Amino acid sequence: MDLQPIRYSESATADRPLLASRHGLDAPLTITLDSSLFTEGTHYMPPGMGRPTT
């Protein structure tokens, strides 16, 4: 039996008609969110049917 690894990648391009310009898209700033400060049901919904897991 010859097993071959499979590599899969997917990408999507977001349509951003609300932006007036590309300023900030070429070199975006990164931030870190402290998830312990978020409240379930107020700031996010837990994963479930029809909702993603991330």
Side-chain angles (χ1 to χ4, degrees):
M1 179 187 292
D2 185 21
L3 298 175
Q4 297 294 322
I6 296 174
R7 181 175 290 173
Y8 176 80
S9 70
E10 183 177 323
S11 64
T13 302
D15 186 20
R16 297 181 177 100
L18 61 135
L19 297 177
S21 72
R22 291 190 47 85
H23 179 73
L25 293 178
D26 298 326
L29 300 175
T30 60
I31 62 171
T32 302
L33 299 175
D34 184 354
S35 61
S36 68
L37 300 175
F38 293 91
T39 304
E40 183 179 312
T42 301
H43 300 109
Y44 69 93
M45 295 298 293
M49 185 175 267
R51 290 192 301 267
T53 58
T54 59

